[in-house]
Amino acid sequence: MAAPARPAGRVPTQLSRAIAPDVARGVMLLLIALAHAPGFVSDRAPTEANTVTELLRSLLAENQARSMFIVLFGYAMGQLLYRQEARGTGPAETRRLLRRRGWVLVGVGLAHSALLVPVDIVATYGFALLFLAAMVTTRDRVLLWTAVAVLPFSVAMISWTYQRSVAAELSGEPAGMVPYMSATYPAHVLSGLPGWLPDAVLGVVVVVSGMLFGIWAARRRYLDEPQEHAVLLRRTAVGLLLLALATRLPEALVVAGFWVPTATSTEWALAVLHTFGGYLGGVGLAALVGVVFAGRRATGGAVATALAALGQRSLTFYLAQSLVWLLLFYPFTLDLAGSVSFAGAAVIAVVVWVGSVGLATAMARAGLPGPAEVLVRRLSYRRR
């Protein structure tokens, strides 16, 4: 994936917003919804609908939505750096901006985890910015070698957590979020606080590789200018998605009940392959969006415009998804966790995402930005 970096000094004075990265974020929210919603229900009976849903969710969303989210977050940071450079902002001030943004995201993540659902990655992004602000403007080689060096630790950490969850589910124990759902809202708020800080800080290991790779990709404007990188994007999308399918399919067959490994070592190996394939697939899906736009005009049509509207408000609707899960599944709200099947929760996820696309489109037509994006921007940027 070697491509010449943007030559120094070639910074335009005005930058228009590229649509492909926003469309990718809009698609990403569908995968996040599919990864999260079924985790809140307890009905995982081996029906045909549940089995197919388990298989598709494991192939498309589980451990892959997160990776796509991480890479696109890094890409957004790269875009931010590029825009700051275009405005004449020096590296020192840019690093201060990233640290302020990091602290804001830590606060947003804390509120999300405590008030909504404790499935948060926003605070981890915030801590990652605090730790990485000093190196995000460094050379490409440093970014890539750091990403490669940290990746094995990231894969190991996710695989360990994931395999424990799969083992619990296959043994008939409560899985997903079900064991952690409190009976009352005050208990829910208090239960998530003790583990929030260590989880958020340790999670930095999970996001570093993808973030740095995303920053590196943004420097080359792969998704901002997909027409210029059409061949590379096509090869990347096809190659990585095929590898992701090959590495993730065995574990998906296990989760769906088609295969029962006889050795513990095999189970762990499949979990590692599934996680690593998720990284490949996350990058491949982002590249696939670039492939779609490489042969289209800049606006991409009505569907692309609607997805981009959602992607531009991705933080707002990521938090809104959590609010929906809280209202639907918890014992102190509608308490649907025991009455909705695994497949039914996936259908709910799709419906929520479609509704999000419609609402985001209406907000775009009305000229309304996402409230979470406004909050982060206002708290991150100093008044001039």
Side-chain angles (χ1 to χ4, degrees):
M1 189 179 285
R6 174 176 46 81
R10 277 188 54 205
V11 183
T13 55
Q14 293 183 348
L15 294 171
S16 59
R17 185 168 183 127
I19 192 173
D22 289 327
V23 171
R25 295 180 189 107
V27 174
M28 169 200 75
L29 286 173
L30 171 60
L31 299 183
I32 291 174
L34 289 172
H36 285 172
F40 290 93
V41 302
S42 56
D43 179 9
R44 301 184 178 224
T47 63
E48 290 185 4
N50 284 352
T51 298
V52 172
T53 302
E54 287 266 23
L55 180 66
L56 294 178
R57 176 176 179 257
S58 183
L59 275 178
L60 300 177
E62 191 75 15
N63 288 338
Q64 186 162 268
R66 180 200 296 110
S67 300
M68 190 178 183
F69 197 174
I70 294 168
V71 170
L72 290 176
F73 180 83
Y75 196 96
M77 291 301 98
Q79 290 178 303
L80 183 149
L81 295 171
Y82 186 71
R83 290 178 181 276
Q84 291 302 307
E85 183 183 355
R87 293 170 182 145
T89 305
E93 176 56 31
T94 298
R95 289 192 289 269
R96 286 192 288 269
L97 168 62
L98 291 177
R99 291 190 182 98
R100 290 195 299 271
R101 195 180 188 92
W103 282 118
V104 173
L105 292 177
V106 168
V108 172
L110 173 59
H112 173 226
S113 183
L115 302 179
L116 297 176
V117 298
V119 184
D120 177 68
I121 200 171
V122 177
T124 297
Y125 289 152
F127 282 117
L129 283 182
L130 296 177
F131 296 149
L132 298 177
M135 66 171 296
V136 293
T137 56
T138 192
R139 293 176 300 170
D140 288 348
R141 181 175 296 180
V142 176
L143 289 181
L144 289 180
W145 277 112
T146 303
V148 171
V150 177
L151 183 60
F153 300 97
S154 175
V155 171
M157 183 176 292
I158 297 174
S159 300
W160 181 73
T161 304
Y162 175 70
Q163 176 55 28
R164 291 181 62 192
S165 175
V166 171
E169 179 180 348
L170 294 179
S171 65
E173 300 176 11
M177 292 300 301
V178 174
Y180 309 103
M181 295 168 68
S182 302
T184 65
Y185 187 68
H188 165 70
V189 172
L190 294 175
S191 65
L193 293 177
W196 170 80
L197 183 59
D199 288 346
V201 174
L202 290 174
V204 171
V205 177
V206 172
V207 305
V208 164
S209 293
M211 279 183 59
L212 294 181
F213 179 79
I215 293 171
W216 175 84
R219 289 181 178 181
R220 285 150 176 78
R221 298 177 64 77
Y222 285 136
L223 296 181
D224 294 87
E225 300 169 353
Q227 297 85 355
E228 303 294 326
H229 309 284
V231 175
L232 176 63
L233 288 171
R234 183 167 60 252
R235 291 176 179 174
T236 300
V238 173
L240 293 187
L241 289 176
L242 287 176
L243 283 173
L245 177 63
T247 53
R248 289 166 61 79
L249 181 58
E251 178 69 8
L253 293 175
V254 172
V255 171
F258 292 106
W259 178 27
V260 180
T262 56
T264 303
S265 58
T266 303
E267 295 175 355
W268 283 101
L270 294 180
V272 170
L273 282 174
H274 187 266
T275 301
F276 181 67
Y279 275 93
L280 300 179
V283 176
L285 287 171
L288 182 61
V289 174
V291 171
V292 172
F293 279 91
R296 291 174 175 264
R297 55 191 176 91
T299 56
V303 174
T305 301
L307 292 175
L310 179 61
Q312 291 166 10
R313 297 157 181 82
S314 57
L315 179 58
T316 292
F317 282 95
Y318 171 74
L319 300 175
Q321 284 186 9
S322 294
L323 176 60
V324 173
W325 313 148
L326 181 75
L327 294 176
L328 290 180
F329 298 121
Y330 275 75
F332 48 82
T333 53
L334 294 180
D335 194 18
L336 298 181
S339 55
V340 174
S341 68
F342 194 86
V347 172
I348 290 175
V350 174
V351 170
V352 168
W353 179 77
V354 171
S356 299
V357 173
L359 181 56
T361 302
M363 292 173 68
R365 290 173 178 170
L368 299 175
E373 284 74 16
V374 172
L375 175 66
V376 171
R377 174 172 288 274
R378 287 184 176 177
L379 295 178
S380 299
Y381 288 86
R382 292 177 175 175
R383 292 183 179 273
R384 298 183 181 273

